[in-house]
């Protein structure tokens, strides 16, 4: 194994030549930090930590020197001098060159390994920081001390949150689960909580371990995938939890050499996917054992008794293990070499017996000790380094020495010599010595099985018989006695077993397993033959002590016999209480130092010695009560003298009466399971058990009956009290009823008066309401009449306007005829153009007639819609009035009779209203039928009139054609006559009446032109066509038009009169009422 000293150097190589896999026990290099000078010394390393890659190692020593070891580059460097001892390290931050170190002044600092400068200084803890946990991202860290845990942001180096707990609880460790955002907090009361990192809300809590378990969690470890959680403490048991199911899945029991676990570390593997299976367990013997948590097999171990390990860390890549040794050095192990050594074949079964001379020559180098840790590994001195693990026994070792050897490296013979020299064991090591002397097996599983059975029925009410102030002490006593009773039934029936166990319960109250096994060992070895005469005291044991007393102090025995003081008075009280009533704590401990170091018969001898040393006061006692008082209270007696006298009795007592002849040698409890204890009369115990059970059942039955009687009596008293209270209440109720009856009568009188006044007010309101309704109805009728009058006036105005428009049109037509006549006279040559204009004028006139017809139809439709709107408005107003009346009726009905009458009245009104609605609906239906018939008749009349118009138009065309032919004939005739007239005029020019004839001719032509303008225009008509037939046809057409218009006006007037008549009849028969809205249909 190569050693490297970093003292005096700030950087350099770690090893000169890297060892191969065959290095001893896998140690690559041993690193020390020594200071040379006048006083040379070695500075102890305290903590180690790997980076996230596992190829760099960070180590801090007692003086605050921080070293970085590059395992791949074989270099180390001193990166910081903090001048304070470091308590924790972390080297897996997001910035790979930075690391965190917790110092002795309760602060946490961040340094950079390259620049060697201080990055940040974080304060906030009031006690030493025990651990630093870094989040998987490297951005957050949790620092833990005994009273608080603090969460830091490593980007800003600001504290985000702080976890405070009660001082009585205390924090063990708080850390991040790998590859998750969960924080796990472990407290000193064995509670484990999981917190969500983002919200810091509690996700879950692991259930508490089995009640009565002596395992208190101290150290913890989690696999890389965060699924398995292992906890250990001051026991050789490890609790394996599954964090997914939150259940305890396994309890691993380490070898008996392991009594406490100081550190746990999972060994990573590149091929297990984070579900690590190899767990390193560092125990109190400074040896770190690596086990497989599934198969529970020991794979290999590191460290030894001489080169103990203080703490250790495994690299994330699973290649290295760094351990801080007890001597302050730093060991670096190769996992590959350790695993290869673990799978070597076992050593040969046959070994060669070496020569004695060689054994004696090598005796100076080897110190042989059989310990509970490693029974086959020899001790070696500090100055030598031994690489072999052979166990060499001394040839001259006798059987006596073998019997004197005790667990823990102690020797009974040497302990006795120490005890005789000092009179007692050192108080600091007394419990350790006792456990070694009694050879306690520490059967955790067997004890847990007894504890799991619960409190025995014989000790359920032990607090009544033994009122102890301390509840913890009482609980421990109850559990210990229950475990004894479950182990053997005799202890449930033995009345003095609490007195016998109480001193040890008080002494070992913090370790119930040790307490139980000490009491069980005392009962098995030092209380031999006590239960053979059960339930009587052990007469045989008392007889042995009486024989010894008779041999050594016959006078005292005769004095005791004289006053009828038997061994049950002077010896049995000391035995059943184990001297706890007559000795102080220090004296009792000193006595039991000697009892546990000697044969079980010494216990009886020390009782006899106590009696012999008290002979002076006992010889002065002459009453039984004095003797009883003496052996139940403390006395002025030197315990050292009693112990010496007991040793004298052990040596001077003859063998025939010596208790050692009757008592067996000390036999420790067996490992794994406790021995069967049946040295008692089983039938008596069973009988007493049955009797006790019967008595208990009888007592339970008696208590139940008594409780039932008490309950019946209490119920009777309660019923009696309830009856009396009920009668008093009834009397009070009757009195109150009388008073209330009187008050009710007065209130009824007042209410009757108020009802009368209210009825009068209601009548007045009803009258006013009727007046208001009448006024509203009259106002509405007046409004309707005004609307009708306005509508008639509007229609009259419209008719007058139409008439004036027709007169204007007629006047315009006359003017047009005059203008046309003047144009015909002035422009004969434009006959064809005037003819076209005449045709356009006829077309325009026909369009005007059609427009007038259409306007009349629109007017009628508008009048019909207006009438329908008026009817609808009347119905809505009637509906509003009905709703208002109903609302007022609902608000004013305050009396039940009035509501009933109003309800009946409303029902009758509703029935009448329904009938009215039916009649109105029927009338409306009849009205719609009549209107439909009227419209149908109008349409038929219109069709007939249009047919007549069409027929007359055809007749007009035929007449116009005939008139045209006649016009042609007249034209030709007139032209002939005109020519003849002109010729005659030319002939008569010479005559005297020439001018007079010409004037008459012009006048005749003018008259004929006027007649021609009165004839309607037609195609191909000349200015000279002024026949009488044309004038007559034009007059007849105007007459027909006037008759048609007159008939239409009469028909519309008849429709209006019919509607007014129907509306007036409906109003007179049925007043306005609320009815359902209806939909108009064609």
């Amino acid at each position: 194994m190569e050693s490297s000293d970093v003292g005096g150097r700030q950087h350099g190589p770690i090893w000169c030549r890297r060892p191969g896999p065959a290095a001893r026990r896998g140690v690559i290099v041993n690193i020390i930090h020594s200071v040379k000078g006048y006083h040379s010394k070695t500075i102890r390393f305290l903590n180690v930590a790997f980076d996230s890659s596992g190829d760099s190692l960070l180590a801090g020593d007692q003086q605050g020197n921080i070293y970085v070891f590059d395992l791949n580059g074989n270099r180390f460097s001193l990166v910081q001098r903090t001048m304070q001892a470091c308590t924790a390290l972390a080297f897996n931050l997001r910035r790979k060159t930075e690391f965190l170190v917790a110092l002795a002044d309760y602060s946490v600092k961040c340094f950079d390994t390259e620049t060697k400068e201080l990055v940040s200084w974080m304060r906030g803890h009031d006690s030493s920081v025990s651990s630093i946990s870094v989040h998987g991202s490297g951005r957050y860290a949790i620092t833990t001390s005994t009273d608080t845990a603090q969460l830091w942001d490593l980007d800003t180096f600001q504290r985000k949150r702080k976890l405070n707990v009660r001082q009585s609880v205390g924090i063990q460790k708080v850390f991040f689960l790998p590859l998750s955002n969960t924080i796990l907090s472990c407290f000193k009361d064995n509670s484990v909580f999981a917190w969500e990192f983002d919200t810091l809300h509690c996700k879950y809590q692991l259930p508490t371990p089995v009640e009565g378990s002596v395992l208190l969690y101290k150290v913890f470890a989690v696999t890389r995938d965060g699924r398995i959680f292992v906890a250990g403490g001051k026991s050789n048991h490890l609790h394996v939890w599954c964090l997914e199911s939150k259940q305890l899945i396994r309890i691993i029991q380490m070898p008996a050499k392991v009594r406490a676990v100081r550190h746990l570390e999972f060994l990573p593997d590149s091929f297990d996917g984070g579900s690590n299976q190899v767990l390193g367990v560092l125990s109190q013997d400074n040896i770190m054992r690596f086990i497989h948590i599934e198969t529970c097999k020991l794979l290999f171990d590191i460290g030894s008794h001489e080169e103990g390990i203080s703490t250790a860390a495994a690299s994330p890549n699973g290649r290295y293990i760094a351990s801080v040794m007890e001597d302050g050095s730093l060991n670096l192990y190769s996992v590959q070499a350790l695993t290869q050594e673990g799978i070597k074949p076992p050593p040969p079964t046959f070994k060669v017996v070496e020569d004695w001379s060689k054994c004696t020559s090598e005796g100076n180098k080897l110190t042989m000790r059989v310990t509970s840790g490693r029974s086959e590994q020899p001790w070696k001195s500090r100055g030598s380094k031994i690489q072999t693990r052979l166990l060499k026994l001394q040839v001259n070792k006798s059987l006596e020495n073998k019997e004197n050897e005790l667990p823990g490296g102690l020797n009974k013979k040497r302990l006795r010599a120490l005890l005789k020299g000092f009179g007692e064991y050192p108080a600091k090591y007394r419990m350790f010595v006792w456990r070694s002397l009694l050879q306690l097996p520490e059967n955790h599983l067997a004890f847990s099985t007894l504890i799991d059975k619960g409190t025995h029925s014989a000790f359920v009410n032990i607090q009544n018989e033994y009122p102890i102030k301390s509840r913890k002490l009482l609980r421990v006593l109850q559990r210990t006695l229950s475990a004894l009773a479950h182990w053997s039934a005799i202890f449930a029936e033995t009345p003095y077993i609490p007195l016998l166990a109480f001193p040890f319960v008080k002494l070992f109250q913090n370790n119930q397993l040790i307490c139980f096994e000490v009491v069980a060992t005392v009962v098995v070895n030092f209380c031999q033959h006590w239960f053979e005469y059960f339930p009587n005291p052990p007469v045989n044991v008392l007889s042995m002590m009486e024989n010894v007393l008779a041999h050594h102090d016959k006078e005292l025995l005769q004095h005791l016999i004289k006053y009828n003081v038997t061994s049950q008075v002077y010896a049995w009280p000391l035995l059943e209480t184990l001297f706890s009533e007559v000795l102080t704590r220090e004296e009792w401990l000193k006595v039991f130092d000697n009892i546990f170091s000697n044969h079980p018969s010494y216990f009886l001898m020390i009782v006899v010695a106590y009696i012999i040393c008290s002979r002076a006061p006992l010889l002065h006692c002459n009453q039984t009560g004095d003797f009883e008082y003496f052996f139940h209270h403390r006395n002025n007696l030197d315990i050292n003298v009693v112990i010496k006298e007991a040793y004298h009795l052990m040596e001077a007592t003859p063998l025939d009466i010596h208790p050692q002849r009757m008592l067996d040698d000390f036999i420790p409890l067996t490992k794994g399971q406790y021995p069967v204890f049946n040295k008692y009369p089983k039938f008596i115990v069973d009988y007493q058990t049955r009797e006790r059970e019967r008595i208990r059942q009888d007592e339970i039955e008696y208590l139940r009956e008594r409780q039932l009687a008490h309950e019946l009596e209490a119920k009777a008293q309660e019923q009696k009290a309830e009856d009396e209270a009920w009668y008093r209440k009834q009397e009070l109720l009757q009195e109150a009823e009388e008073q209330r009856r009187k008050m009710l009568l007065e209130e009824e009188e007042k209410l009757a008066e108020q009802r009368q006044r209210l009825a009068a007010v209601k009548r007045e309101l009803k009258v006013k309401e009727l007046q208001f309704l009448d006024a509203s109805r009259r106002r509405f009728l007046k409004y309707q009449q005004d609307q009708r009058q306005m509508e008639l006036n509007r229609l009259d105005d419209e008719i007058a306007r139409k008439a004036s428009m027709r007169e204007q049109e007629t006047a315009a037509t006359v003017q047009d005829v005059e203008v046309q006549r003047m144009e015909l006279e002035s422009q004969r040559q434009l006959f064809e153009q005037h003819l076209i204009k005449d045709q356009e004028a006829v077309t325009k006139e026909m369009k005007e007639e059609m427009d007038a017809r259409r306007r009349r139809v629109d007017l009628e439709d508008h009048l019909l819609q207006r009438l329908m709107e008026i009817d609808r408005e009347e119905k809505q107003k009637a509906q509003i009035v009905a709703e208002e009346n109903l609302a007022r009726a609902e608000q004013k009905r305050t009396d039940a009779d009035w509501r009933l009458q109003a309800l009946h009245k409303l029902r009758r009104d509703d029935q009448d209203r329904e009938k009215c609605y039916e009649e109105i609906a029927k009338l409306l239906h009849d009205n719609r039928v009549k209107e439909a018939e009227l419209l149908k008749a109008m349409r038929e009349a219109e069709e007939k009139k249009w047919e007549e118009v069409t027929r007359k138009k055809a007749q007009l065309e035929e007449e116009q054609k005939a008139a045209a032919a006649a016009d042609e004939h007249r034209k030709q005739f007139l032209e002939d006559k005109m020519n003849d007239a002109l010729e005659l005029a030319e002939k008569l020019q010479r005559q005297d009446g020439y001018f007079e004839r010409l004037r008459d001719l012009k006048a005749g032509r003018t008259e004929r032109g006027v007649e021609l303008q009165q004839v309607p225009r037609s195609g191909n008509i000349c200015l000279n066509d002024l026949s009488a037939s044309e004038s007559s046809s034009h007059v007849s057409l105007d007459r027909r038009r006037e008759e048609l218009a007159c008939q239409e006006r009469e028909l519309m007037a008849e429709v209006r009169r019919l509607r007014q008549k129907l509306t007036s009849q409906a109003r007179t028969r049925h007043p306005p009422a609320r009815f359902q809205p209806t939909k108009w249909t064609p």
Side-chain angles (χ1 to χ4, degrees):
M1 178 180 65
E2 185 173 354
S3 179
S4 177
D5 189 358
V6 299
R9 296 187 294 169
Q10 293 189 359
H11 54 81
I14 304 174
W15 52 76
C16 297
R17 182 178 181 181
R18 184 184 181 94
R24 188 182 70 84
R25 294 192 54 77
V27 179
I28 298 176
V29 65
N30 174 255
I31 303 171
I32 61 174
H33 184 191
S34 62
V35 178
K36 298 180 180 180
Y38 183 77
H39 294 289
S40 299
K41 63 178 181 178
T42 300
I43 301 176
R44 298 173 57 86
F45 283 100
L46 298 179
N47 289 281
V48 292
F50 283 93
D51 66 347
S52 57
S53 65
D55 295 326
S56 295
L57 176 67
L58 192 72
D61 61 17
Q62 195 172 8
Q63 290 186 354
N65 300 314
I66 309 297
Y67 292 89
V68 173
F69 298 91
D70 183 6
L71 304 181
N72 283 341
N74 188 25
R75 302 290 297 177
F76 79 90
S77 61
L78 177 64
V79 296
Q80 195 57 235
R81 295 180 186 271
T82 62
M83 307 306 293
Q84 297 183 68
C86 67
T87 58
L89 291 172
F91 197 24
N92 52 347
L93 277 63
R94 185 165 63 91
R95 292 176 286 274
K96 304 302 181 182
T97 60
E98 294 181 0
F99 65 93
L100 295 176
V101 55
L103 302 175
D105 61 350
Y106 312 152
S107 65
V108 180
K109 294 183 178 180
C110 180
F111 295 97
D112 192 288
T113 58
E114 293 183 352
T115 62
K116 300 182 181 180
E117 293 180 355
L118 177 65
V119 178
S120 180
W121 191 348
M122 296 173 284
R123 291 181 175 272
H125 285 278
D126 297 327
S127 58
S128 177
V129 176
S130 59
S131 68
I132 301 176
S133 176
V134 180
H135 189 260
S137 62
R139 297 183 56 188
Y140 304 94
I142 295 177
T143 56
T144 307
S145 59
T146 57
D147 57 346
T148 183
Q150 301 184 14
L151 177 63
W152 303 89
D153 187 345
L154 298 183
D155 289 337
T156 61
F157 295 99
Q158 298 292 325
R159 185 176 66 190
K160 294 187 65 178
R161 299 296 289 269
K162 182 178 180 181
L163 174 64
N164 292 319
V165 295
R166 296 194 305 270
Q167 188 176 2
S168 60
V169 177
I171 301 175
Q172 289 286 9
K173 191 175 182 180
V174 180
F175 55 96
F176 287 101
L177 287 183
L179 307 177
S180 69
N181 285 334
T182 303
I183 300 175
L184 217 61
S185 60
C186 310
F187 301 92
K188 291 184 179 180
D189 60 351
N190 277 16
S191 59
V192 180
F193 292 84
W195 312 83
E196 183 65 35
F197 170 68
D198 297 330
T199 60
L200 292 179
H201 291 163
C202 183
K203 294 175 63 177
Y204 57 85
Q205 177 187 2
L206 294 183
T208 55
V210 181
E211 184 177 0
S213 175
V214 296
L215 176 58
L216 295 177
Y217 293 164
K218 297 290 185 182
V219 290
F220 313 89
V222 182
T223 58
R224 298 282 293 175
D225 58 1
R227 295 181 179 180
I228 302 299
F229 171 75
V230 182
K234 291 184 178 180
S235 172
N236 65 343
H237 287 185
L238 298 177
H239 286 187
V240 182
W241 295 83
C242 179
L243 295 182
E244 291 182 345
S245 61
K246 290 87 175 175
Q247 297 294 329
L248 181 65
I249 60 175
R250 190 178 297 107
I251 297 178
I252 300 176
Q253 183 176 5
M254 297 296 292
K257 307 168 188 178
V258 178
R259 295 193 300 272
V261 179
R262 293 170 51 189
H263 183 70
L264 294 173
E265 188 79 15
F266 272 104
L267 186 61
D269 191 352
S270 303
F271 303 98
D272 58 5
S275 58
N276 312 132
Q277 300 296 321
V278 181
L279 176 66
V281 183
L282 178 62
S283 57
Q284 88 289 342
D285 55 1
N286 302 327
I287 299 174
M288 193 166 189
R289 298 170 176 85
F290 287 84
I291 64 172
H292 196 284
I293 61 174
E294 292 294 334
T295 61
C296 297
K297 291 183 178 180
L298 179 63
L299 303 179
F300 59 90
D301 57 5
I302 58 176
S304 62
H305 293 288
E306 310 83 54
E307 297 176 351
I309 297 176
S310 175
T311 184
S315 63
N317 55 15
R319 297 172 57 189
Y320 304 103
I321 299 175
S323 64
V324 178
M325 312 305 289
E326 286 292 327
D327 58 1
S329 64
L330 182 63
N331 274 6
L332 185 65
Y333 294 88
S334 172
V335 176
Q336 181 182 3
L338 290 172
T339 54
Q340 288 179 356
E341 182 180 347
I343 62 177
K344 284 182 179 180
T349 307
F350 295 93
K351 295 184 180 179
V352 179
V353 178
E354 297 182 0
D355 189 26
W356 169 244
S357 59
K358 294 182 179 180
C359 293
T360 55
S361 63
E362 293 178 359
N364 296 329
K365 296 181 180 179
L366 292 177
T367 303
M368 301 304 300
R369 270 186 197 175
V370 179
T371 64
S372 62
R374 301 181 64 87
S375 60
E376 292 185 359
Q377 182 172 351
W379 289 76
K380 59 182 180 179
S381 60
R382 293 180 178 270
S384 61
K385 295 181 180 179
I386 300 175
Q387 300 179 1
T388 62
R389 301 177 63 184
L390 297 176
L391 178 61
K392 298 184 179 180
L393 301 177
Q394 297 181 3
V395 175
N396 59 349
K397 198 167 192 180
S398 62
L399 182 62
E400 182 182 357
N401 290 336
K402 289 183 180 180
E403 293 177 354
N404 289 330
E405 291 296 333
L406 297 174
L410 300 181
N411 187 279
K412 184 181 288 188
K413 190 174 182 180
R414 294 179 182 177
L415 289 176
R416 287 177 182 173
L418 179 66
L419 185 61
K420 288 184 179 181
F422 293 95
E424 60 179 340
Y425 294 124
K428 184 177 180 180
Y429 302 102
R430 176 176 280 117
M431 299 300 107
F432 174 71
V433 173
W434 282 16
R435 292 168 65 177
S436 299
L437 288 171
L438 298 178
Q439 302 178 31
L440 303 180
E442 299 186 18
N443 299 327
H444 292 274
L445 293 178
F447 178 69
S448 299
T449 303
L450 295 176
I451 290 295
D452 291 342
K453 293 181 180 180
T455 304
H456 198 275
S457 59
F459 304 107
V460 173
N461 299 319
I462 192 175
Q463 67 275 5
N464 298 331
E465 187 175 357
Y466 300 98
I468 301 174
K469 292 183 179 179
S470 175
R471 297 186 62 84
K472 177 183 177 182
L473 191 60
L474 178 63
R475 185 168 59 253
V476 175
L477 176 62
Q478 190 179 43
R479 289 180 178 176
T480 304
L481 296 178
S482 298
L484 288 170
H486 291 308
W487 176 42
S488 181
I490 184 64
F491 300 118
E493 307 298 330
T494 306
Y496 56 84
I497 198 67
L499 300 175
L500 185 143
F502 182 73
F504 299 103
V505 170
K506 193 170 184 180
L507 193 62
F508 297 99
Q509 58 181 322
N510 293 326
N511 195 331
Q512 299 181 35
L513 173 64
I514 300 301
C515 176
F516 170 79
E517 292 187 349
V518 168
V519 175
T521 305
V522 169
V523 170
V524 171
N525 292 279
F526 299 94
C527 300
Q528 298 181 35
H529 307 292
W530 279 28
F531 308 100
E532 294 178 358
Y533 293 91
F534 181 83
N536 300 316
V539 179
N540 50 352
V541 177
L542 297 177
S543 299
M544 285 190 286
M545 290 189 293
E546 190 172 354
N547 292 335
V548 174
L549 180 60
H551 181 271
H552 291 283
D553 198 341
K554 194 171 185 179
E555 180 184 0
L556 179 58
L557 179 60
Q558 292 296 330
H559 179 74
L560 295 174
I561 294 173
K562 179 181 177 181
Y563 292 102
N564 296 323
V565 178
T566 63
S567 58
Q568 296 184 15
V569 176
Y570 63 80
W572 181 238
L574 301 178
L575 289 175
E576 65 178 359
T577 60
L578 300 182
F579 292 95
S580 60
E581 289 184 345
V582 298
L583 298 180
T584 62
R585 175 185 174 88
E586 290 75 14
E587 293 173 346
W588 189 87
L589 293 173
K590 188 180 295 185
V591 167
F592 272 87
D593 285 344
N594 290 271
I595 292 175
F596 289 156
S597 301
N598 290 278
H599 191 271
S601 60
Y602 182 81
F603 180 39
L604 304 181
M605 290 301 186
I606 204 166
V607 174
V608 178
Y610 184 87
I611 298 171
I612 293 174
C613 294
S614 304
R615 70 186 310 275
L618 290 175
L619 291 174
H620 288 84
C621 295
N622 52 14
Q623 294 183 3
T624 306
D626 295 338
F627 290 102
E628 294 177 353
Y629 182 85
F630 183 86
F631 290 104
H632 284 281
H633 294 81
R634 295 177 183 175
N635 302 297
N636 188 12
L637 192 64
D638 188 358
I639 197 63
N640 295 320
V641 175
V642 175
I643 294 172
K644 289 181 181 179
E645 181 64 23
Y647 281 111
H648 171 70
L649 294 176
M650 288 287 290
E651 296 174 356
T653 303
L655 291 178
D656 56 343
I657 62 172
H658 201 292
Q660 189 172 359
R661 184 176 63 88
M662 302 294 296
L663 300 180
D664 299 329
D665 293 337
F666 179 84
I667 301 174
L669 299 178
T670 57
K671 292 186 177 181
Q673 294 293 334
Y674 296 116
V676 177
F677 188 82
N678 56 0
K679 297 179 180 180
Y680 57 89
K682 192 173 184 302
F683 69 96
I684 295 178
V685 174
D686 294 342
Y687 173 76
Q688 286 201 352
T689 303
R690 289 194 299 271
E691 287 297 315
R692 183 185 295 274
E693 184 65 23
R694 184 183 60 80
I695 293 171
R696 190 175 68 84
Q697 293 295 336
D698 293 343
E699 185 178 0
I700 292 173
E701 184 66 21
Y702 167 72
L703 292 174
R704 189 181 64 80
E705 292 179 356
R706 189 175 66 176
Q707 182 68 21
L708 186 59
H710 288 331
E711 290 178 358
L712 291 175
E713 185 178 358
K715 286 183 179 179
Q717 295 294 334
E718 184 179 356
Q719 186 65 32
K720 183 178 178 181
E722 288 180 357
D723 293 341
E724 294 178 356
W726 186 79
Y727 284 120
R728 288 196 299 270
K729 188 183 292 185
Q730 292 299 118
E731 293 176 358
L732 294 175
L733 287 174
Q734 289 178 359
E735 294 177 358
E737 186 178 359
E738 291 294 333
Q739 294 178 358
R740 285 179 173 78
R741 188 178 292 109
K742 294 179 181 179
M743 294 171 62
L744 277 173
L745 292 174
E746 295 175 357
E747 291 294 331
E748 286 179 357
E749 293 177 357
K750 294 179 181 179
L751 186 60
E753 295 177 358
Q754 292 178 359
R755 285 180 178 176
Q756 292 178 359
R757 291 195 294 271
L758 182 61
V761 171
K762 284 181 179 180
R763 284 193 295 272
E764 294 177 359
L765 290 174
K766 192 66 176 177
V767 171
K768 290 181 180 180
E769 182 181 356
L770 293 174
Q771 292 176 356
F772 175 73
L773 290 175
D774 190 24
S776 299
R777 187 163 49 253
R778 287 196 300 271
R779 187 166 59 252
F780 180 70
L781 292 175
K782 183 179 179 183
Y783 171 75
Q784 284 184 338
Q785 291 175 1
D786 294 340
Q787 291 291 330
R788 298 282 178 83
Q789 188 65 35
M790 290 173 62
E791 185 70 19
L792 293 175
N793 293 335
R794 189 178 64 80
L795 291 174
D796 294 339
D797 294 340
E798 186 70 19
I799 292 170
R801 187 176 63 81
K802 292 292 183 179
S804 62
M805 287 176 64
R806 287 185 179 182
E807 291 177 356
Q808 291 176 3
E809 289 176 359
T810 304
T813 304
V814 172
Q815 293 177 0
D816 289 340
V817 169
E818 292 178 357
V819 170
Q820 289 176 4
R821 183 180 58 77
M822 292 172 65
E823 287 178 356
L824 286 172
E825 289 178 357
S826 62
Q827 298 178 0
R828 294 181 180 182
Q829 68 275 11
L830 299 178
F831 174 77
E832 301 296 333
Q833 294 180 0
H834 284 290
L835 183 62
I836 294 170
K837 289 182 180 180
D838 292 339
Q839 291 178 355
E840 290 177 356
V842 171
T843 303
K844 184 177 180 181
E845 184 179 359
M846 295 302 293
K847 287 182 179 180
E848 287 177 356
E849 290 178 358
M850 295 299 295
D851 292 339
R853 174 71 178 176
R854 191 178 296 108
R855 282 195 295 273
R856 285 195 296 272
V857 173
D858 293 340
L859 178 61
E860 292 174 359
D861 292 341
H862 178 70
L863 292 175
L864 182 62
Q865 292 293 332
R866 181 61 182 169
L867 180 61
M868 292 168 64
E869 288 177 0
I870 291 171
D871 292 339
R872 191 179 296 110
E873 289 176 357
E874 290 176 358
K875 293 174 184 178
Q876 290 179 355
K877 289 179 181 179
Q879 183 178 359
I880 293 171
V881 171
E883 288 177 354
E884 291 176 354
N885 293 335
L886 183 60
R888 291 191 188 94
E890 288 179 356
Q891 291 179 356
K892 293 177 181 179
R893 54 182 180 182
T894 57
D895 190 76
D897 296 335
W898 177 256
R899 288 199 300 270
L900 186 59
Q901 294 176 3
L903 182 61
H904 290 313
K905 185 175 180 181
L906 288 174
R907 287 179 180 176
R908 289 193 298 271
D909 293 341
D910 292 339
Q911 292 175 358
D912 297 339
R913 204 173 291 115
E914 287 179 1
K915 294 178 180 179
C916 294
Y917 294 162
E918 293 176 357
E919 294 178 359
I920 292 172
K922 187 176 180 181
L923 290 174
L924 290 174
H925 180 69
D926 297 340
N927 191 9
R928 286 195 294 272
V929 171
K930 291 180 179 180
E931 288 179 355
E933 294 176 354
L934 181 60
L935 291 174
K936 186 176 180 182
M938 290 175 64
R939 291 192 188 99
E940 292 177 354
E942 183 179 1
E943 290 176 357
K944 291 178 180 179
K945 289 184 181 296
W946 278 108
E947 290 176 357
E948 186 177 357
V949 168
T950 304
R951 188 175 62 254
K952 289 188 176 183
K953 282 184 178 180
Q955 185 179 0
L956 177 62
E957 289 177 358
E958 293 176 356
E959 290 178 356
Q960 286 178 353
K961 289 179 180 178
D967 289 338
E968 287 290 337
H969 185 268
R970 281 196 301 274
K971 181 179 177 182
Q972 186 66 31
F973 177 75
L974 289 176
E975 286 178 356
D976 293 341
K977 291 297 181 180
M978 184 61 71
N979 292 329
D980 294 338
L982 289 175
E983 290 176 359
L984 182 60
E986 287 177 357
K987 291 177 179 180
L988 293 178
Q989 283 178 356
R990 299 179 186 90
Q991 297 178 6
D992 295 333
Y994 173 77
F995 292 104
E996 293 177 1
R997 293 190 185 95
L998 183 62
R999 185 174 57 251
D1000 295 336
L1001 180 61
K1002 289 181 179 178
R1005 292 175 64 183
T1006 302
E1007 290 175 359
R1008 286 194 295 271
V1010 172
E1011 292 176 355
L1012 182 63
Q1013 292 295 331
Q1014 295 176 358
V1015 178
R1017 298 177 181 88
S1018 61
N1020 300 323
I1021 299 176
C1022 298
L1023 292 173
N1024 297 324
D1025 296 337
L1026 303 174
S1027 63
S1029 61
E1030 293 175 356
S1031 177
S1032 62
S1033 63
H1034 188 218
V1035 172
S1036 65
L1037 182 60
D1038 290 338
R1039 189 181 298 110
R1040 290 192 187 95
R1041 290 176 182 173
E1042 290 176 0
E1043 290 176 356
L1044 181 61
C1046 182
Q1047 289 178 0
E1048 289 178 357
R1049 285 195 294 273
E1050 291 176 356
L1051 184 61
M1052 291 302 299
E1054 184 68 22
V1055 170
R1056 291 193 194 97
R1057 286 194 299 274
L1058 181 59
R1059 288 183 177 177
Q1060 290 177 0
K1061 182 179 179 181
L1062 292 173
T1063 304
S1064 62
Q1065 288 178 359
R1067 279 204 191 106
T1068 54
R1069 291 179 182 177
H1070 305 286
R1074 179 180 176 184
F1075 55 93
Q1076 296 294 330
T1078 58
K1079 182 177 180 181
W1080 288 93
T1081 57

